[in-house]
């Protein structure tokens, strides 16, 4: 889930303790007459907030999801959740108009994809069961429309066939590096490794890679595509040429001279590879086609957002809910004084 930067809101509390039964039934948004109630929005916010490991992941990079008052959520986080619900509702309505049902096959593919998109399988399992099902249904709807737009199949058979035909692409390389400034220094270390010295000990003693030296040079594990993105194609090629426990000859990289040791080569299980496989099967043009279609569908639709939660924007090729500005103290007082 992409979450925008957050700012606190104290005007519209999204705590069930502060929202009356009357206000819970009122609309948060309307999409072609289909109502997303405030109660549904509160329920989704609570489902997200109940998963503490997932919240911790969000807050690590984005800041608190909560508002200034007890039991409240920030306006930006609330707008993000509402925006996602509006977007999925538009997609579901588009599928109905196109007479495209979400199949059981699509749901089967969507489960591992949803789990990966919401923190990984372990974190995903921390959501309430009903919310897990909702997220899987959301993902399946998105996949179904996207696959239709590019004329591709996302059946479990198609996913399995791709995995079996490209298993090498899902092999992770766990490696360690030693970085030095000169070719002669690298050659000296290579001789010591060949004579039986520990690669990890030499990395701790001699490597100039400040990110890995203290940990024996350990870079971690990644696909070759990830190595290529992080270090460049030539670095990835060196890694791919090595067997387990094999050390490369010294080679020059962007930061100096390297030696690489591959410590293991685990294969990513198919269930974990599904998100990457879906991306490959649909092709690079699919996200743009989906975004363009949804925006076009939204422009032809009647979408109304309760001003308490912000306003709808179709700018920059995206459907988004822009959170409201903080209201005045007088407006807050008037809001809470209004009987239901």
């Amino acid at each position: 889930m992409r979450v925008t930067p957050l700012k606190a809101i104290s005007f519209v509390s999204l705590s069930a303790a502060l929202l009356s039964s009357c206000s819970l039934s009122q609309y948060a948004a309307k999409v072609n007459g289909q109502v997303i109630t405030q109660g549904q929005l509160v329920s989704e916010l609570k489902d997200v907030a109940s998963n503490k490991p997932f919240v911790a992941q969000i807050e690590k990079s984005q800041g608190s999801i909560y508002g200034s008052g007890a039991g409240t959520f920030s306006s930006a986080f609330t707008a993000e959740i509402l925006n996602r619900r509006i977007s999925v509702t538009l997609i579901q309505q588009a599928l109905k108009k196109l007479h495209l049902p979400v199949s059981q096959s699509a749901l089967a593919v969507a489960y591992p994809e949803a789990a990966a998109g919401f923190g990984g399988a372990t974190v995903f399992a921390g959501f309430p069961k009903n919310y897990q099902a909702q997220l899987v249904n959301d993902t399946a709807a998105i996949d179904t429309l996207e696959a239709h737009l590019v004329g591709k199949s996302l059946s479990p058979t198609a996913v399995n066939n791709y995995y079996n035909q490209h298993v090498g692409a899902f092999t992770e390389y766990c490696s360690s590096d030693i970085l030095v400034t000169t070719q002669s220094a690298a050659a000296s270390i290579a001789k010591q490794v060949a004579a039986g010295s520990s690669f990890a000990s030499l990395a701790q003693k001699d490597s100039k890679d400040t990110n890995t030296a203290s940990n024996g040079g350990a870079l971690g594990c990644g696909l070759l595509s990830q190595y290529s993105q992080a270090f460049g194609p030539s670095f990835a090629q060196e890694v791919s040429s090595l067997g387990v426990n094999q050390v490369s000859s010294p080679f020059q990289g962007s930061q100096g001279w390297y030696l690489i040791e591959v410590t293991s080569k685990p294969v990513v299980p198919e269930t974990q590879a599904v998100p990457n496989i879906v991306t490959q099967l649909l092709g690079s043009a699919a996200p743009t086609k989906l975004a363009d279609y949804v925006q076009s569908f939204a422009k032809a639709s009647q979408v109304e957002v309760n001003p308490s939660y912000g306003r709808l924007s179709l700018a920059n090729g995206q459907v988004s809910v822009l959170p409201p500005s903080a209201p005045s103290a007088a407006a807050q007082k008037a809001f809470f004084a209004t009987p239901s």
Side-chain angles (χ1 to χ4, degrees):
M1 175 188 291
R2 180 183 62 82
V3 180
T4 54
L6 308 176
K7 64 179 180 181
I9 182 171
S10 57
F11 173 40
V12 182
S13 169
L14 293 170
S15 165
L18 295 179
L19 282 171
S20 67
S21 59
C22 174
S23 62
L24 283 171
S25 64
Q26 294 175 356
Y27 81 100
K30 298 177 184 177
V31 184
N32 294 318
Q34 183 175 337
V35 177
I36 301 170
T37 68
Q38 292 188 25
Q40 289 171 321
L41 179 58
V42 169
S43 178
E44 184 158 6
L45 285 161
K46 284 185 170 183
D47 285 340
V48 174
S50 71
N51 190 331
K52 301 306 180 185
F54 181 70
V55 171
Q57 287 185 5
I58 296 174
E59 294 189 331
K60 187 175 181 180
S61 59
Q62 304 287 359
S64 177
I65 69 170
Y66 300 106
S68 57
T72 65
F73 296 88
S74 73
S75 60
F77 183 69
T78 302
E80 183 72 18
I81 295 297
L82 181 57
N83 174 64
R84 188 177 192 281
R85 190 51 43 207
I86 290 171
S87 297
V88 171
T89 301
L90 286 166
I91 288 171
Q92 290 169 336
Q93 291 180 355
L95 289 174
K96 186 175 182 179
K97 186 175 181 179
L98 292 167
H99 305 289
L100 290 173
V102 175
S103 66
Q104 289 299 314
S105 292
L107 290 169
V109 171
Y111 184 89
E113 193 180 357
F118 285 82
T122 301
V123 172
F124 187 73
F127 288 116
K129 292 293 184 182
N130 64 321
Y131 192 56
Q132 290 182 43
Q134 181 176 340
L135 293 175
V136 170
N137 278 303
D138 292 348
T139 303
I142 295 167
D143 283 350
T144 299
L145 181 56
E146 203 168 20
H148 168 75
L149 293 173
V150 296
K152 298 292 179 66
S153 170
L154 285 181
S155 68
T157 299
V159 170
N160 180 255
N161 287 342
Y162 186 94
Y163 179 80
N164 290 331
Q165 292 167 10
H166 301 83
V167 68
F170 302 107
T171 298
E172 288 191 321
Y173 290 75
C174 302
S175 67
S176 300
D177 78 325
I178 294 175
L179 170 65
V180 291
T181 55
T182 66
Q183 184 177 11
S184 59
S188 174
I189 292 172
K191 288 181 180 179
Q192 295 177 65
V193 171
S197 295
S198 164
F199 189 95
S201 296
L202 290 170
Q204 289 177 327
K205 182 170 69 77
D206 297 322
S207 181
K208 306 302 181 185
D209 188 337
T210 56
N211 293 319
T212 66
S214 62
N215 197 30
L219 285 168
C221 303
L223 303 174
L224 289 177
S225 59
Q226 294 171 317
Y227 276 99
S228 183
Q229 291 171 2
F231 303 104
S234 60
F235 192 102
Q237 186 174 357
E238 290 287 345
V239 171
S240 69
S241 68
L242 300 174
V244 175
N245 297 325
Q246 187 176 0
V247 177
S248 71
S249 299
F251 66 95
Q252 191 170 20
S254 59
Q255 303 297 319
W257 286 84
Y258 286 93
L259 287 92
I260 301 294
E261 179 184 39
V262 170
T263 54
S264 64
K265 294 165 65 172
V267 177
V268 177
E270 182 178 341
T271 53
Q272 294 179 25
V274 166
N276 187 278
I277 294 173
V278 168
T279 298
Q280 296 300 320
L281 285 174
L282 292 177
S284 59
T288 300
K289 287 191 174 184
L290 177 67
D292 289 346
Y293 185 91
V294 173
Q295 188 187 44
S296 177
F297 190 83
K299 285 181 177 179
S301 299
Q302 293 184 336
V303 182
E304 181 183 354
V305 175
N306 187 319
S308 298
Y309 300 106
R311 61 184 178 85
L312 185 73
S313 170
L314 298 178
N316 302 318
Q318 294 183 337
V319 178
S320 58
V321 175
L322 303 180
S325 301
S328 65
Q332 295 183 47
K333 183 177 180 180
F335 176 81
F336 287 112
T338 302
S340 62

